[in-house]
Amino acid sequence: MQQLVTLLVFAPLVGAIIAGLFGRRIGNVASQSVTTGLLLLACGLSWYTFGQWTWGHMEPFTVAIAPFINIGDFQSAWSIRIDGLSAVMLVVVTTVSALVHLYSWGYMAEDDSKPRFFAYLSLFTFAMLALVTAADFMQLFFGWEGVGLASYLLIGFWFKKPTANAASIKAFVVNRVGDFGFALGIMTVFWAFGTIQFAELFPLIADGASKTWTFIGRDWPLVDLACVLLFIGAMGKSAQFFLHTWLPDAMEGPTPVSALIHAATMVTAGVYMVCLLSPMFEYAPVAKQVVTLIGAVTALFAATVGLAQNDIKRVIAYSTCSQLGYMFFAAGVGAYEAAMFHLFTHAFFKALLFLGAGSVIHGMHHEQDMRKMGGLWKYMPFTYAVMTIGTIAITGVGIPGVFGFAGFYSKDTIIEAAFAAGQTSGYGLFAFVIGIFAAGLTAFYSWRLAFMTFHGTPKWGHDAAHHADDHGHDAHAAPAAHDDHAHHDNHGHGHDHKPHESPLVMLIPLGVLAIGAIAAGFVFVGYFVGHHENEFWRGAIFTAASNHVLHDAHNVPTWVKWSPLVVSTIGLLIAAWVYLLNEGMGARLAARRGPLWTFLYNKWFFDELYEATFVRAARFLGDVFWKVGDQKIIDGLGPDGVAAVSRAVGKRTGQLQTGYVYHYAFVMLLGVAGLLSFALYQWSR
């Protein structure tokens, strides 16, 4: 088994090296085949490992690969840790990544840099696998930074597009802010407990929970401090409130990248980290409150912004941000198992929605603006069917106690856990109210996307302007959506061409993910949060003796269980009223540019706020150091000061050396006359 998991983790790295270094020599097909084949191998081994863990009663184990850093007490080694958490993450990461690799065969068919693209995908997957199998903070940090690097490369894959370059830099910089907190958290852990090895650290937490650090006249609990700092890293990586601004801009990358980064892998790393560190967070009540508060606010914020977006990928991106908020506040109230369950189910339906959106973009000749779509269900029936399944799954449609799609089981468990926690905590009650409200918003913007894209009057083709005028289309409501394949515009595709269904190689992954979006919930609910829960996790998640949240979640009042379905139905009905029964109403509302619409369309003005504060402040500080510190002080005293005087003196002095003999003779005569004059003067005294 140890050899299998080692092969599982390193297979994507081998593919990345082959495609990255030798892609031009071996060609496109060979590069794609090697990377995709190795990912399918890793995916198969992941499911085998997951099966052995779930049904074969495999015990946790760690495979030591090689020593890494050994400096005094600071000991770190390359290793692969297999337990309930890593088994779940291995399945999530490799399944989505393998399907994205396969899907990209069709989606990137026109691109001339396929070996580079597939190498980046595989490198990203390896970094994520290193992260989720880490046995200490150092390897966790390596994987953490590795996925950050790979996401930078993938978001800016089309580096000739200025917007793609700007988006990749923005993602990189914002994540560095979070990673600074993450690094400080790791330092705090080592300072407080003298180890970064999880197996050594976790048993020390209970006895060391009372440790404090005295600063500015106050004692700060070290476990709380470490957990808050580590969570700042999670806020950056998982695009939580304040550090979320990079996520929608990341849509500049190819659509398969969006599915890989935003569905199952990088953005879920923060949730995984909080659940992995449950032995620490259980003794850090303040940190848990911070996680709950930030998660709930993020769920609400992203859901509201998603209401007003027109780019099909950006709507789904804000949906991801909102769903991550659900996962975090679940972990914050102590329902770590529910957070991991939603992470698991979310991977299927969110990857399905992103890849489905990619199929729409492909079929619409690279159009991303939903206002220029409509009526596509006739032309893309399979894509329409699977995206409808994904929409039902993300809105959590299901009948309590009977059956529901994937999101129904996991999201409802989170909402019920928040209600249970709210009986003793105001933070839990806040999360419950936000969770219910955000569920209604999720239903509205998800069905809005489906209706604008697949239903109504077609707004594409040579007569799009005519349809737009007839239906109140606001051509100036927003800037045109960024073209996913801007560099392919001259391939002969025109909007006069009718939309078409995607090739089979793109539809197969959609079909597989659709099965997961339907079945992942009811098949695994008993293992993640049900009667097999303790047996499944087997100590991978720690809950304190006082933490009964998940148990209490199963015994909430009936109205709590039915509330998500009620608000989701209301959201669906409002969306149908606005975008089906009264087509054009949404565009007319947008055209008015009311204050609420403007506030939501401009994403709560976070980009403008950060531009006015951090960006301009940094630019001002840079100008001060440059124009005052560098030019006036350093250059003024250096090249323009002492050095300039020396140069001027030397230049003037050099003019005395003319090279003419009579000049030198005249100077010598002056010198002799001067000496004689001095001698006569002294003698006369």
Side-chain angles (χ1 to χ4, degrees):
M1 197 67 201
Q2 295 187 357
Q3 289 81 2
L4 289 181
V5 295
T6 304
L7 176 61
L8 184 167
V9 171
F10 285 98
L13 178 62
V14 173
I17 292 172
I18 293 173
L21 298 182
F22 309 107
R24 291 189 177 183
R25 291 188 178 184
I26 63 178
N28 291 339
V29 175
S31 298
Q32 293 171 244
S33 301
V34 168
T35 51
T36 308
L38 287 170
L39 247 298
L40 289 170
L41 171 64
C43 180
L45 293 175
S46 295
W47 276 101
Y48 175 74
T49 304
F50 181 74
Q52 288 295 307
W53 177 266
T54 307
W55 298 290
H57 303 291
M58 182 174 70
E59 290 302 313
F61 65 89
T62 300
V63 183
I65 303 295
F68 182 26
I69 297 176
N70 297 311
I71 305 173
D73 293 334
F74 192 91
Q75 303 288 319
S76 176
W78 293 109
S79 51
I80 298 173
R81 188 195 86 262
I82 298 297
D83 59 12
L85 282 167
S86 59
V88 170
M89 293 302 295
L90 288 175
V91 163
V92 167
V93 172
T94 57
T95 301
V96 174
S97 185
L99 293 173
V100 165
H101 274 73
L102 184 62
Y103 178 94
S104 299
W105 279 64
Y107 194 85
M108 302 295 289
E110 299 174 357
D111 200 278
D112 55 2
S113 301
K114 285 189 277 291
R116 180 167 63 92
F117 181 75
F118 279 82
Y120 288 170
L121 287 183
S122 290
L123 177 64
F124 184 99
T125 309
F126 165 71
M128 194 66 198
L129 293 177
L131 189 160
V132 301
T133 58
D136 62 38
F137 274 111
M138 206 65 230
Q139 186 176 327
L140 184 71
F141 191 73
F142 166 81
W144 200 268
E145 297 304 306
V147 292
L149 167 66
S151 68
Y152 167 79
L153 296 172
L154 286 166
I155 294 167
F157 178 75
W158 289 321
F159 53 83
K160 294 181 181 179
K161 287 175 62 179
T163 50
N165 284 328
S168 63
I169 292 171
K170 187 175 183 179
F172 199 79
V173 170
V174 173
N175 272 279
R176 295 293 73 72
V177 175
D179 293 350
F180 180 66
F182 189 61
L184 289 176
I186 295 173
M187 296 175 195
T188 304
V189 169
F190 182 71
W191 174 42
F193 298 100
T195 181
I196 58 167
Q197 303 281 337
F198 298 144
E200 297 176 3
L201 171 66
F202 294 159
L204 302 176
I205 301 297
D207 293 334
S210 59
K211 290 186 177 183
T212 59
W213 172 47
T214 303
F215 181 65
I216 56 174
R218 182 177 172 183
D219 292 335
W220 303 83
L222 278 176
V223 177
D224 261 315
L225 180 63
C227 287
V228 169
L229 290 169
L230 292 166
F231 177 64
I232 291 173
M235 287 172 62
K237 199 65 71 185
S238 298
Q240 293 300 283
F241 199 62
F242 296 124
L243 296 180
H244 64 275
T245 52
W246 67 270
L247 186 79
D249 289 10
M251 297 300 103
E252 290 293 340
T255 300
V257 172
S258 303
L260 188 62
I261 292 177
H262 304 112
T265 49
M266 189 174 101
V267 292
T268 59
V271 179
Y272 162 78
M273 187 264 288
V274 172
C275 295
L276 172 67
L277 302 182
S278 56
M280 293 179 62
F281 277 89
E282 283 294 272
Y283 291 96
V286 175
K288 287 178 69 175
Q289 291 172 356
V290 171
V291 174
T292 304
L293 182 64
I294 294 292
V297 172
T298 305
L300 175 66
F301 157 76
T304 59
V305 174
L307 302 175
Q309 303 305 304
N310 298 308
D311 185 316
I312 188 171
K313 286 170 63 180
R314 283 176 182 255
V315 174
I316 304 173
Y318 278 109
S319 167
T320 300
C321 196
S322 182
Q323 297 302 309
L324 288 164
Y326 274 96
M327 299 176 208
F328 274 113
F329 78 66
V333 300
Y336 307 100
E337 300 89 345
M340 287 301 299
F341 188 31
H342 197 51
L343 186 159
F344 179 75
T345 59
H346 175 264
F348 292 100
F349 56 74
K350 187 50 59 68
L352 173 60
L353 288 170
F354 264 122
L355 296 184
S359 180
V360 170
I361 294 166
H362 186 271
M364 283 291 292
H365 312 296
H366 316 310
E367 178 59 69
Q368 293 179 217
D369 193 333
M370 297 188 300
R371 298 166 303 172
K372 298 178 182 178
M373 298 180 186
L376 295 182
W377 69 273
K378 297 178 182 177
Y379 303 92
M380 310 179 71
F382 187 83
T383 301
Y384 170 59
V386 295
M387 283 201 74
T388 302
I389 290 172
T391 303
I392 294 171
I394 194 172
T395 55
V397 174
I399 301 173
V402 182
F403 174 76
F405 281 48
F408 164 74
Y409 292 96
S410 55
K411 187 157 73 173
D412 281 25
T413 303
I414 289 175
I415 290 173
E416 291 160 13
F419 178 84
Q423 303 306 297
T424 56
S425 165
Y427 288 90
L429 186 60
F430 175 73
F432 167 71
V433 173
I434 294 296
I436 289 291
F437 184 57
L441 298 179
T442 301
F444 177 81
Y445 69 66
S446 298
W447 287 112
R448 170 181 178 265
L449 182 149
F451 295 151
M452 288 182 70
T453 304
F454 294 104
H455 293 276
T457 308
K459 301 174 185 67
W460 38 266
H462 65 281
D463 57 346
H466 170 72
H467 287 305
D469 292 339
D470 285 350
H471 295 281
H473 175 68
D474 177 24
H476 304 289
H482 297 298
D483 192 357
D484 200 310
H485 278 223
H487 64 311
H488 294 320
D489 280 349
N490 57 359
H491 280 231
H493 295 307
H495 292 306
D496 289 344
H497 293 203
K498 287 186 177 181
H500 58 83
E501 189 61 275
S502 298
L504 189 62
V505 73
M506 292 172 65
L507 299 183
I508 290 173
L510 291 176
V512 174
L513 290 169
I515 295 171
I518 295 171
F522 78 85
V523 170
F524 292 104
V525 63
Y527 295 97
F528 281 78
V529 294
H531 49 281
H532 294 301
E533 165 209 331
N534 292 331
E535 181 184 343
F536 179 80
W537 294 112
R538 296 205 278 285
I541 290 175
F542 171 79
T543 51
S546 58
N547 185 347
H548 307 293
V549 168
L550 200 58
H551 177 267
D552 294 342
H554 298 306
N555 302 312
V556 296
T558 304
W559 69 268
V560 175
K561 294 180 179 291
W562 285 87
S563 294
L565 180 60
V566 171
V567 295
S568 296
T569 305
I570 293 172
L572 164 61
L573 293 176
I574 296 174
W577 171 261
V578 175
Y579 294 99
L580 284 185
L581 302 178
N582 294 280
E583 189 178 357
M585 180 188 289
R588 289 192 295 273
L589 290 171
R592 294 177 186 172
R593 289 182 173 81
L596 180 60
W597 181 89
T598 303
F599 181 67
L600 298 181
Y601 177 73
N602 287 285
K603 303 160 285 189
W604 292 24
F605 291 101
F606 260 97
D607 285 322
E608 290 79 2
L609 178 64
Y610 285 175
E611 172 72 26
T613 53
F614 298 115
V615 176
R616 289 185 184 175
R619 192 179 292 127
F620 172 77
L621 196 61
D623 285 345
V624 169
F625 282 121
W626 167 38
K627 294 178 180 178
V628 177
D630 193 8
Q631 290 185 338
K632 291 186 177 180
I633 297 177
I634 297 175
D635 288 351
L637 293 176
D640 299 332
V642 176
V645 171
S646 301
R647 184 170 176 269
V649 171
K651 187 176 181 181
R652 296 293 176 87
T653 307
Q655 292 175 353
L656 298 175
Q657 306 292 331
T658 63
Y660 293 109
V661 173
Y662 59 85
H663 284 165
Y664 298 149
F666 178 69
V667 170
M668 290 172 66
L669 182 62
L670 288 176
V672 171
L675 286 171
L676 286 173
S677 299
F678 179 75
L680 289 170
Y681 171 74
Q682 291 292 334
W683 178 69
S684 65
R685 293 175 64 187

